[in-house]
Amino acid sequence: MQTKIDNNTLMQLVLNNIPSFVFWKDDNSIYLGCNENFAKSAGFSSPEDVVGRSDYDMPWSQEEADFFRKVDKEVMLSGEAQINFEEQQTINDKSTRWLRTSKIPLYDDQKNVIGILGTYEDITARKTMELEIHQQNAELLILNDKLESINMDLEHLVNASSHDLQEPLRTIGSFVGLLEKKYGSEMDDKAKEYLKYIKGGSARMSKLIKQILTFSKIDKVDIVFESVNAKKFISNILRDLTHSINEQNAVVESDILDIYINCQQVRMEMVFHNLIGNALKFNNSQNPKISISLTEDDKSWLFEIKDNGIGISNKFDHNIFEPFKRLNTQATYPGSGIGLSICKRIVDMHGGEIWYESKEGEGSSFFIKLPKLIIMNEQVG
Ligand code: ADP
C-alpha cells in the first residue's frame, strides 16, 4: 500500500536526507527554513526553531553574521550565485568550522530576487590538515634557509681553511726540495729516509685537502647529462688506470654492453676511478682480479665492480659512504676516506643508488644503479 504524503513534507524529507547543510532566507536575510543538518549544527533541535531568525540571533560571532549578510546582499543585488567559497563559522565562540559554501539567488515568477538559497559542507578536517601542511611548509622553509646559511658558512670555512692549509704545505715542499738540493749529498741513508716520509706525508695531506674541496663543491654546480657510450667510457677509464693495474699485476675483465647511458661523464669518471682504484688497492691476492659488468632493464642501468680483495667485514657498522669512514687504516692501504662519499654524492645527483655486497676475505662487489629517465643535454662518444 502506498503512503500519501504532501509535497511540503516530502520536500522537507528530501532536504533532511541530503548529506549537506541547506538553508534559505528572505530578501532581508531572515531565515525562512533549513534542513535538519543545518538546524542541529547551529545547536537547535528542529528547522522550525531557525525560522524567523536573523544571523544575529544565531550562535555565530557578530563578525561572521556581518559577513554572511554581506555575501547574501551581494548575491541578491547582482543576481549572480557565489559558488564554493570558503568561510568560517563559530558556534557559541567555541568551535570554529571551515565551510565550503554556495549561495544562489531565489527568484519569484516575475524574475524578482526574493531571497537566497544557501548550501555548505563542513571542510574543517581537510582545512585543518591544509593549514597544518602550510604551517609545516613554512617551518621547513625557515629550517631550509637556516641550513643553507650554515652550509654556506661551512663552505666558506672549508674553502678558506683548504687554501690556508695548502700554503704551509707548499712551504714544507719547497724547503724539503732545498734541503735535498743543498745538503742531499751530505745526508746519510736515515736522513734521506726521513725526508722521504716528510715528502710522502705532505703529498698525502695535499691530496686530502684537494679531496675535501672536491667533496664540498661537488653538488654546487648543475649537473649536465650526456649520452655516453658505456663500452668506450669504461675502456677509457681502464686505459687511465693501466699503470696501477700493471703494478698490481691485476687482471681486469669487463663485460660492458655497447650501449649509451645518461650521465655526466666527468663526474661519473670520478666514481669509476675511485671504485676501480679501491678494488685494486684493497686487494692482497696473488692474482688480483676485477670484473666490471653492465646490465640493464626497462628503468635502469646496473654496473657491478667486483674484486677478489680483502672484503669488508660485516662487523663494521660504519657507513663507508660517509666522509672519513675507513675500515683499514694500515699503511698498506693509504687513503683519506673521502672517495666513496664523493661517489655517493655523484650517484645521488644522478638520481641513482650505490651499495656494496661483501664478505671479509672473499672480495667485494660495488653496485651503481642509474635511472634511465633523465633528460639528455648532449651526445658524447
Ligand atoms: P679510502 O679509499 O681513501 O680509504 P674510500 O671512501 O674510497 O676511502 O673508502 C672507504 C673505506 O671503505 C676504505 O678505507 C676501505 O676500508 C673500504 N673499502 C672501499 N672499497 C673497498 C674494497 N673494494 N674492498 C675492501 N674495502 C673497501
Side-chain angles (χ1 to χ4, degrees), residues 211 274-275 278-282 307 309-312 320 322 325-328 333-341 358 364 366:
Q211 279 186 310
N274 200 74
L275 294 181
N278 278 352
L280 288 166
K281 180 165 70 174
F282 297 104
D307 66 57
I310 60 171
I312 299 167
I320 55 172
E322 280 173 17
K325 287 282 160 56
R326 306 194 66 229
L327 314 179
N328 313 91
Y333 305 114
S336 59
I338 297 185
L340 286 182
S341 48
S358 181
S364 317
F366 279 80

Side-chain angles (χ1 to χ4, degrees), residues 15 20-26 29-35 38-39 50 55 58 60 68 72 85 87 89 99 101-104 106 116-120:
L15 288 168
S20 182
F21 302 83
V22 185
F23 57 87
W24 51 103
K25 296 173 175 176
D26 69 13
S29 282
I30 302 295
Y31 284 90
L32 294 173
C34 63
N35 70 350
F38 179 85
V50 174
D55 281 299
M58 298 295 274
W60 4 111
F68 297 154
D72 292 351
F85 60 92
E87 57 182 359
Q89 183 196 62
L99 315 178
T101 309
S102 295
K103 284 185 175 173
I104 299 138
L106 287 175
I116 63 123
L117 170 70
T119 65
Y120 63 81

Side-chain angles (χ1 to χ4, degrees), residues 185-326:
S185 52
E186 296 164 35
M187 282 181 186
D188 62 10
D189 286 351
K190 258 283 169 277
K192 282 182 183 154
E193 197 186 336
Y194 291 162
L195 218 53
K196 208 174 95 190
Y197 289 140
I198 299 175
K199 274 163 77 178
S202 51
R204 277 202 305 280
M205 179 99 170
S206 172
K207 192 172 166 199
L208 176 64
I209 294 168
K210 279 186 192 131
Q211 279 186 310
I212 294 175
L213 260 182
T214 312
F215 179 72
S216 72
K217 283 186 176 154
I218 207 111
D219 55 0
K220 295 288 170 293
V221 188
D222 278 347
I223 194 154
V224 179
F225 287 96
E226 304 141 339
S227 178
V228 176
N229 183 291
K231 213 178 171 83
K232 276 191 202 161
F233 171 74
I234 295 292
S235 61
N236 286 345
I237 290 171
L238 292 178
R239 202 187 49 222
D240 292 348
L241 287 168
T242 310
H243 180 68
S244 319
I245 293 170
N246 291 343
E247 213 175 42
Q248 288 265 1
N249 223 357
V251 174
V252 181
E253 286 171 356
S254 87
D255 179 16
I256 300 291
L257 302 170
D258 194 5
I259 55 170
Y260 283 80
I261 59 161
N262 300 336
C263 66
Q264 178 153 35
Q265 188 163 358
V266 269
R267 290 215 167 105
M268 211 34 88
E269 269 169 13
M270 287 168 87
V271 173
F272 280 85
H273 264 276
N274 200 74
L275 294 181
I276 301 169
N278 278 352
L280 288 166
K281 180 165 70 174
F282 297 104
N283 203 318
N284 56 9
S285 156
Q286 293 297 310
N287 306 299
K289 194 176 157 197
I290 299 171
S291 330
I292 308 165
S293 64
L294 167 63
T295 48
E296 67 174 334
D297 63 21
D298 291 352
K299 293 190 182 128
S300 51
W301 296 287
L302 180 67
F303 285 95
E304 179 181 355
I305 296 158
K306 186 178 161 68
D307 66 57
N308 62 343
I310 60 171
I312 299 167
S313 159
N314 60 10
K315 71 171 182 269
F316 290 108
D317 59 352
H318 302 299
N319 184 348
I320 55 172
F321 295 102
E322 280 173 17
F324 307 115
K325 287 282 160 56
R326 306 194 66 229

Side-chain angles (χ1 to χ4, degrees), residues 60-115:
W60 4 111
S61 71
Q62 163 95 25
E63 297 78 47
E64 285 166 352
D66 286 343
F67 177 75
F68 297 154
R69 290 170 63 89
K70 181 177 119 348
V71 178
D72 292 351
K73 214 174 221 153
E74 279 170 17
V75 170
M76 287 189 278
L77 282 176
S78 66
E80 304 241 337
Q82 291 194 20
I83 306 289
N84 285 343
F85 60 92
E86 289 179 8
E87 57 182 359
Q88 279 182 294
Q89 183 196 62
T90 309
I91 306 293
N92 291 331
D93 284 340
K94 275 189 231 111
S95 61
T96 300
R97 302 168 190 162
W98 278 97
L99 315 178
R100 188 165 47 211
T101 309
S102 295
K103 284 185 175 173
I104 299 138
L106 287 175
Y107 293 95
D108 65 9
D109 294 346
Q110 274 80 50
K111 302 251 182 285
N112 298 315
V113 176
I114 52 155

Side-chain angles (χ1 to χ4, degrees), residues 4-20:
K4 282 230 160 173
I5 45 175
D6 65 70
N7 277 346
N8 272 350
T9 319
L10 184 64
M11 181 62 78
Q12 194 65 48
L13 251 177
V14 171
L15 288 168
N16 288 346
N17 283 289
I18 290 176
S20 182

